[in-house]
Amino acid sequence: MIFDSHAHYDDESFNEDREQLIEELKDNGVVGILNCGASLEGARASVKFTKQYDFFYAAVGIHPEYADILNDDVIEELRSLAKESKVKAIGEIGLDYHYDGNPEKKVQKDAFIKQMKLAQELKLPVVIHDREAHEDTLNILKMFPEVIGVVHCFSGSVEFAKECIKLGYFIGFTGVVTFKNAKKAVEVAREIPMEKILLETDCPYMSPEPYRGKRNRSDYIEYIAMKIAEIKSETAINVKNQAILNTKKLFNI
Ligand code: NI
């Protein structure tokens, strides 16, 4: 059984065959998917999926890439979407300093903080996106000691992972851990307890080996579980089952 704790089935790369693909996932042992909104449209679509498919759950939030759209009206819509019964988190939210085209740091931080406040108010966990912004991300997480969540597609060091765990966060692993040059992610997987690991695709992106570069899908979590099993001298079944327990615990499913 597989639970994909981070997916984007609203992405246009699924437009051609979305319904058929989702049926196949069910046949291939996928028992749960958390679809994460990145834009406001993505948040609305994520909620729509939860009504269409019994095994879909949603996170609603504005990704740092779109931080400049976050005004009071947007927060109000997120608040009302978040009250739907299968919305289990605020996300994905955070900081992304990788692309020059992203909104400036101040705008990103402001949007991140406003959405952390919303999570605190609604008592929901958060799905964090952090790319090349570890220090600023950690400082903002520390401002909200009552909020927990997952640092998705984790790209930091072992020390940073341990800091996040100390704050109550889980660490999300994508296909990146299967890449030949994935030294850091492998080290983090080795050093943190299995009880803090979530498995995720971030599909359509981040396909694991042997599908690197192709469109990703939730049943490919099998390859991520196999890799983590190898790192931790465990069986893939135990890794998948523990990750399901962790995901359900965090998102109150
Ligand atoms: Ni994502």
Side-chain angles (χ1 to χ4, degrees), residues 100-119:
D100 291 335
N102 281 349
E104 58 177 295
K105 290 183 181 181
K106 196 195 160 298
V107 174
Q108 289 193 36
K109 284 187 206 169
D110 196 50
F112 185 16
I113 290 169
K114 281 189 179 143
Q115 295 181 94
M116 287 294 286
K117 278 186 186 153
L118 183 65

Side-chain angles (χ1 to χ4, degrees), residues 12-28:
E12 60 181 15
S13 65
F14 293 112
N15 283 356
E16 297 275 294
D17 59 349
R18 186 176 291 108
E19 292 206 4
Q20 191 198 332
L21 173 65
I22 290 173
E23 279 308 312
E24 283 173 28
L25 296 178
K26 235 178 155 174
D27 295 341
N28 293 342

Side-chain angles (χ1 to χ4, degrees), residues 6-8 36-38 63 92 127-129 152-153 174 200-206:
H6 191 117
H8 300 283
C36 297
H63 188 284
E92 57 180 292
V127 177
I128 301 294
H129 174 101
H152 118 85
C153 195
T174 61
E200 52 166 289
T201 56
D202 201 19
C203 66
Y205 315 106
M206 303 289 173

